[in-house]
Amino acid sequence: MTVIHTTTQRVDPVAPGAQTPAQRPAPLRVLTVMSCSRQEKSGMPIANTSISGAMRAEGCTVDQLYLDDYPPLVQTPYLRYPLFGLATVARVRALEKERGGYDVVQISGGDGYLAPLLRRDRCGRRRLGVARCHGLEHRYWQAFQREVAAGHVRTTLRHRLYFGGLRLRQTELSIRGADLLNCHTAADAAYALERDWKRADEVLVLPGGIEPAWFGAAPESAARPRRILFCGSWTWMKGTRVLAQVFERLAALQPDVRLTVLGAGADQQTVLQAFAPAVQSRICVMPPLSHAAVLREFQQHDLLLATSLFEGFGTAALEAMAAGLPVVAAAVGAAPDYVDNGCSGYLVEAGDVDGFVSTCTALIESSAVDRRVMTGAAMSAVATLTWPVIARATADGYATALARVAE
């Protein structure tokens, strides 16, 4: 796994860090806290469920607090940011009274700004406070502001004050106050380190996991690639305006190319109106699908096109690599950490329409042998990113950090 700063605590899924499961003093008791509903179908609660289950298989006790477990007032939109962190202190204390103390309290996003109040359990024992980052809000905000400045999206004064002010400050305080920052990407780690929010030994960089069924699932094909898959919500962050421009130009160059939009979370008309009328008949907008059905779509396409302007992680690109589906991805999220450009996939600067068009064209016109070599390299690059391996590395990293703070 790539870590920009080699001094960062390296807990690598390929070679876990200082401790192994056998050296762990005892199974950890972990509480994860997330300010979203456990019913949401987005990546964060799904990933939290997966990593929690895998850590339980490692012998850890893992409990979860979601927004659903908080009073209705805290769940109210526009009160969530101000109140959730404050209410978390009370909720953790109440849960500990019921279930006993925790060794680790992991709080996602900017909601751990009062985490220093939870550094000791009810019996006074020192525990580990973890700031869990699913994509650093400050880097998201930078990407959003670039879109605003270019006139592609609009913002409001309330949004600038509420997110660009309050939430960013909460996030910084959460990271500074935590014992450990656990983030998905080297870029997020570098941002925190460069600003002295954390020391190098207080940062853990670990990816999300990939389900075993995805590995090698896409069949090899000698045919010329023509079926392009875009997998992501229909938002500015996923680079939908870039996708539209890229496909329109590809369609003019490649008469048989087709596009499937998967997981948009928007109706067909909303998606299609972003494209020129001349190409709309060559676009298929899929309804919401199960994870198994998404895998079947991966198996029926020839390349994944990921045009995101920002990613907290970027699961689709890594799942495509695991499946053996060629990937052309913006150099955001985890893609730069795992894609060796031109070897295991292609990286394009975010927003570079010309770069995406030329890269997709090169891939479409490449030989079947070249594509087979590339997808083989891609599968090797992500071969260890399974949930059991990630869970083991997480538990080992937490045990090491807990020993550090206990001293």
Side-chain angles (χ1 to χ4, degrees), residues 42-124:
S42 62
M44 288 192 299
I46 292 173
N48 193 43
T49 298
S50 297
I51 188 68
S52 296
M55 289 184 72
R56 291 182 187 117
E58 284 290 306
C60 299
T61 297
V62 184
D63 292 334
Q64 300 168 334
L65 277 177
Y66 283 98
L67 186 62
D68 320 69
D69 304 312
Y70 286 68
L73 185 65
V74 179
Q75 301 179 35
T76 305
Y78 298 110
L79 290 179
R80 186 186 308 180
Y81 283 175
L83 297 182
F84 188 90
L86 182 63
T88 292
V89 176
R91 292 295 300 128
V92 172
R93 294 299 188 198
L95 198 62
E96 282 190 312
K97 186 176 181 180
E98 174 188 337
R99 302 184 184 180
Y102 294 97
D103 303 304
V104 181
V105 174
Q106 171 190 292
I107 305 177
S108 293
D111 298 306
Y113 56 91
L114 293 178
L117 298 177
L118 294 170
R119 280 186 175 152
R120 296 187 180 275
D121 67 14
R122 297 178 69 250
C123 297

Side-chain angles (χ1 to χ4, degrees), residues 233-272:
S233 55
W234 201 250
T235 65
W236 73 268
M237 192 181 80
K238 297 295 184 179
T240 52
R241 67 168 181 84
V242 179
L243 175 69
Q245 295 176 60
V246 170
F247 183 71
E248 288 166 13
R249 289 177 53 181
L250 281 176
L253 296 170
Q254 309 286 341
D256 57 351
V257 74
R258 298 289 185 272
L259 173 68
T260 299
V261 176
L262 185 63
D267 61 80
Q268 177 175 291
Q269 184 57 36
T270 298
V271 174
L272 290 180

